[in-house]
Amino acid sequence: MGYLGLQSHSFGCCSSPASRWGKVSHMKELLAKVPAGLLINGEWVDSITGETYDVKNPATGEVIATMQSAGAEDAIKALDAACAVQKEWAQTPARERSEILRRAFELVTERAEEFATLMTLEMGKPLAEAHGEVKYGAEYLRWFGEEAARMNGRFGHAPDAGFPMLTRRKPVGPCLLITPWNFPLAMATRKVAPAVAAGCTMVLKSARLTPLTAQYFAQTMLDAGLPSGVLNVVSGKSASAISNPIMEDRRLRKISFTGSTPVGQKLLAKASENVLRTSMELGGNAPFIVFEDADLDAAVKGAMGAKMRNIGEACTAANRFLVHSSVIDEFSAKFAAAIVELKVGNGLDDGVTCGPMVEQDAVDHIAELVDDAVARGGRILVGGKRVEGAGYFYEPTVIVDAPIESRVFREEIFGPVAPIFPFDTEAEAVELANDTEYGLASYVFTQDPDRMYRMSDGLEFGLMGFNSGVISNAAAPFGGVKHSGMGREGAAEGIEEYTSLQYIGVKNPY
Ligand code: NAP
């Protein structure tokens, strides 16, 4: 199977600044290391469909790679491979699985520059942020490597009858893992690592827009000693052509999905046909609440992290800024002043702090939301326009005075746009915050610790940042409520998602 650099594809370089020219040959070498095929039973192979799809650099719009596109037959071959080794893999000593994950952690860390560059190339995030994702994503490998050795059950006695009771955790079985484009490495490690730790085999379907990082990660897992067939990777231009046949197959036992709520709902319906275990990490509409007693400089710093990290393309991204009326003008002015300092451009260029949107549709979507807010009376403090030229750019934007009927209040923005809304009382802040079908992340800035507890009582969200705008961590249970999904990734809970509990009642020995 060909590797990317050996194929005839082009780089986005023609209109690039001089500083990027020197990096082109390095990028060709890097792309040559990324398998373009499907990973089935430890081999990178061509698709049976004979079809391919292109991967673009969103900063330039140019094609950087051409990948094999899997179809239904490829998908079933991948599941065959996962099922063939499930029993043997489940019986592998936990220490062995743990050490494979530890080696993978070390290899991803050694290859940090390569992973970061691939992510910036295919997804657009600034290189420094891509390095942050490598560190964050690698931590799941280390964390679950440690958890693998601690997958224990319980021992007790039936309180009424006195007989011994044992519980044990067993791998749930072959899994389908579907990941989005916004965190191409971390979303894969957050699923693959606990599945490996628990003793499950798997088929990974990465996002069509960002397959390169997942392909290189899968190769890294093989390099770390993961046996053939445990991890299979089939991505392609039609997601459902891959996922449907796998989900209809009785041998599949679990689906773990990260992506949008509408697709999650479809997959939940599909999963019901085969009564699959499901983990769903879906969309968000995070409130970022600033009380009158907050340290406003700290709140602005937190807001920059919560809104602008990953160009606003994060499920945890602050979507609605709810600010006490007595400080809203001061907060808005300081926030807008910080936003103006962002440097928009190609994430590979020095000093760039805000990259492109992932594709043209995303720019169009954001422009529609901003236009809707303005049409309803919203005022732009900064930004508010597309950036003309190559690539898919939208200016980082702050909007005030838009009513809560605006689409920016109701919908997941998924871009560098920050609408600010006023509130007057704590009760009103909670009511506005909860006025959404989503329930993933929330943020509260106040210097009153009692208020922190009251807010955590009132907020219907799976995650809450207290005076902090960035809270994700491999050791934290990540997940939402309501339409943001079910299940948790990371922490001790993350491995449980890949196990089923068996209870053994033992004959009373007396
Ligand atoms: P998406 O369109 O739902 O796609 C996510 C994944 O699902 C991709 O691999 C996609 O494949 C696949 N997919 C799409 N339609 C499918 C179908 N009918 N059947 C099976 N698979 C299908 O979401 P996205 O645009 O990539 O990601 C953004 C969304 O993810 C946002 O809503 C964000 O909030 C959410 N997200 C949530 C979390 C979390 O932890 N809660 C984390 C990150 C992102 P293709 O790429 O081939 O379309």
Side-chain angles (χ1 to χ4, degrees), residues 44-190:
W44 292 102
V45 297
D46 282 344
S47 163
I48 297 165
T49 63
E51 293 183 354
T52 59
Y53 65 104
D54 290 336
V55 183
K56 287 183 182 173
N57 177 348
T60 61
E62 288 173 322
V63 173
I64 51 171
T66 299
M67 316 298 289
Q68 291 290 309
S69 177
E73 251 186 285
D74 299 302
I76 291 301
K77 275 182 171 275
L79 183 63
D80 289 343
C83 294
V85 297
Q86 175 58 75
K87 192 166 168 207
E88 194 185 338
W89 179 238
Q91 289 168 352
T92 307
R95 177 60 66 208
E96 214 171 290
R97 300 200 299 270
S98 163
E99 285 178 357
I100 290 169
L101 286 170
R102 175 71 203 195
R103 276 198 297 280
F105 163 76
E106 281 159 10
L107 280 179
V108 169
T109 306
E110 268 170 36
R111 298 173 184 179
E113 185 66 32
E114 295 173 334
F115 275 109
T117 306
L118 282 176
M119 279 192 276
T120 298
L121 269 177
E122 66 179 344
M123 183 274 167
K125 69 183 75 188
L127 195 58
E129 286 194 29
H131 272 281
E133 182 177 343
V134 176
K135 200 162 181 302
Y136 170 58
E139 279 305 328
Y140 285 99
L141 299 165
R142 175 153 67 172
W143 174 265
F144 284 111
E146 290 158 353
E147 288 297 290
R150 319 209 190 300
M151 207 175 77
N152 297 317
R154 283 199 314 269
F155 174 79
H157 287 97
D160 48 352
F163 65 82
M165 307 170 85
L166 307 174
T167 63
R168 56 181 294 214
R169 292 206 164 270
K170 295 165 77 171
V172 70
C175 303
L176 172 62
L177 314 176
I178 303 183
T179 53
W181 50 263
N182 60 342
F183 291 101
L185 179 65
M187 295 303 99
T189 58
R190 208 161 83 169

Side-chain angles (χ1 to χ4, degrees), residues 178-183 187 190 205-210 236-241 243-244 247 257-264 266-267 280-284 313-316 359 412 414 438 440 478-480 484 489:
I178 303 183
T179 53
W181 50 263
N182 60 342
F183 291 101
M187 295 303 99
R190 208 161 83 169
K205 196 216 82 67
S206 63
R208 172 182 45 85
L209 295 171
T210 59
K237 51 190 176 191
S238 167
S240 55
S243 65
N244 281 347
M247 291 180 76
F257 170 74
T258 298
S260 61
T261 296
V263 173
K266 276 191 208 161
L267 293 174
M280 293 279 146
E281 297 285 353
L282 308 178
E313 294 170 318
C315 51
T316 50
E359 59 181 343
E412 187 175 28
F414 234 60
Y438 293 107
L440 186 60
F478 189 102
S484 289
E489 291 192 317

Side-chain angles (χ1 to χ4, degrees), residues 216-370:
Y216 194 45
F217 168 59
Q219 179 60 50
T220 301
M221 291 301 295
L222 297 180
D223 297 343
L226 192 70
S228 296
V230 174
L231 169 64
N232 305 278
V233 184
V234 278
S235 302
K237 51 190 176 191
S238 167
S240 55
I242 297 167
S243 65
N244 281 347
I246 296 180
M247 291 180 76
E248 284 159 12
D249 193 304
R250 286 291 169 100
R251 296 171 297 170
L252 187 75
R253 292 311 323 135
K254 179 182 171 78
I255 172 163
S256 176
F257 170 74
T258 298
S260 61
T261 296
V263 173
Q265 286 167 322
K266 276 191 208 161
L267 293 174
L268 276 170
K270 188 84 194 155
S272 74
E273 292 169 17
N274 208 359
V275 195
L276 295 173
R277 278 279 294 278
T278 55
S279 300
M280 293 279 146
E281 297 285 353
L282 308 178
N285 181 353
F288 186 103
I289 306 169
V290 182
F291 282 98
E292 64 279 17
D293 64 351
D295 172 339
L296 286 193
D297 291 326
V300 168
K301 195 164 172 246
M304 292 301 288
K307 178 75 253 184
M308 294 300 164
R309 188 175 69 110
N310 220 46
I311 325 160
E313 294 170 318
C315 51
T316 50
N319 213 56
R320 297 166 294 152
F321 289 83
L322 308 176
V323 184
H324 193 271
S325 340
S326 64
V327 293
I328 194 168
D329 289 344
E330 189 182 349
F331 174 84
S332 305
K334 286 186 170 192
F335 190 23
I339 295 271
V340 165
E341 293 299 315
L342 291 173
K343 186 173 169 200
V344 179
N346 186 324
L348 290 174
D349 289 341
D350 295 339
V352 165
T353 47
C354 185
M357 302 286 86
V358 74
E359 59 181 343
Q360 187 57 44
D361 284 355
V363 179
D364 296 343
H365 170 70
I366 288 160
E368 269 179 32
L369 295 188
V370 172

Side-chain angles (χ1 to χ4, degrees), residues 369 372-373 376 378 402-411 421:
L369 295 188
D372 170 79
R376 293 173 190 268
I404 63 167
E405 292 72 28
S406 307
R407 289 179 61 189
V408 282
F409 187 94
R410 302 276 148 210
E411 296 177 28
F421 306 90

